[in-house]
Amino acid sequence: MEQKRFTVINDSFVCRVCQTEVLPLHKGCRNHCPHCLHSVHVDKFPGDRAANCEGIMIPVRIFMHSKKGYMVEHQCEHCGYRSVNKLALEDATQPDEMHTVLELVRKSAH
């Protein structure tokens, strides 16, 4: 039997980088802080909590996915693992902050 590659976990958490209280998404799952866009390396597959690294996942670029919309790519500062997650720009409760997204776009363009 093949293991599911996505586990739905939509819990609140406190960002380890900026200490923002991150609320669950209205629709979907969030793995990053909406204020600073950082995350923590806890998953091998989305939501599985099977990674033992727990390094800070640094946002390295924003890109457009043809079906999913705008995505943020993270790289673990500890082990170098890379992952992507959909941005929550239109979340009703706590959307990703546009000025942070635009700053990352500007930095990655240079």
Side-chain angles (χ1 to χ4, degrees):
M1 178 183 244
E2 187 172 313
Q3 183 181 13
K4 287 173 45 175
R5 292 182 62 98
F6 188 88
T7 303
V8 176
I9 296 178
N10 193 29
D11 296 335
S12 62
F13 61 93
V14 175
C15 177
R16 290 190 190 173
V17 174
C18 71
Q19 284 67 54
T20 294
E21 183 179 350
V22 180
L23 304 173
L25 277 181
H26 183 68
K27 294 180 181 177
C29 299
R30 185 191 321 259
N31 80 333
H32 61 272
C33 174
H35 177 68
C36 70
L37 301 180
H38 287 74
S39 184
V40 177
H41 186 189
V42 294
D43 297 337
K44 289 183 180 178
F45 296 109
D48 68 5
R49 303 303 188 255
N52 295 321
C53 178
E54 294 195 17
I56 299 296
M57 298 289 284
I58 300 169
V60 294
R61 73 179 181 117
I62 305 291
F63 66 96
M64 178 64 158
H65 185 282
S66 62
K67 295 182 181 174
K68 296 180 180 182
Y70 287 100
M71 308 287 285
V72 59
E73 181 176 7
H74 292 101
Q75 182 170 1
C76 181
E77 70 177 359
H78 179 71
C79 71
Y81 175 79
R82 286 186 174 242
S83 67
V84 297
N85 193 255
K86 185 176 177 181
L87 287 174
L89 298 171
E90 298 178 12
D91 182 62
T93 306
Q94 192 180 33
D96 290 332
E97 294 183 14
M98 185 56 77
H99 71 275
T100 306
V101 171
L102 293 174
E103 182 64 19
L104 183 55
V105 168
R106 186 189 67 75
K107 285 180 180 178
S108 61
H110 291 95

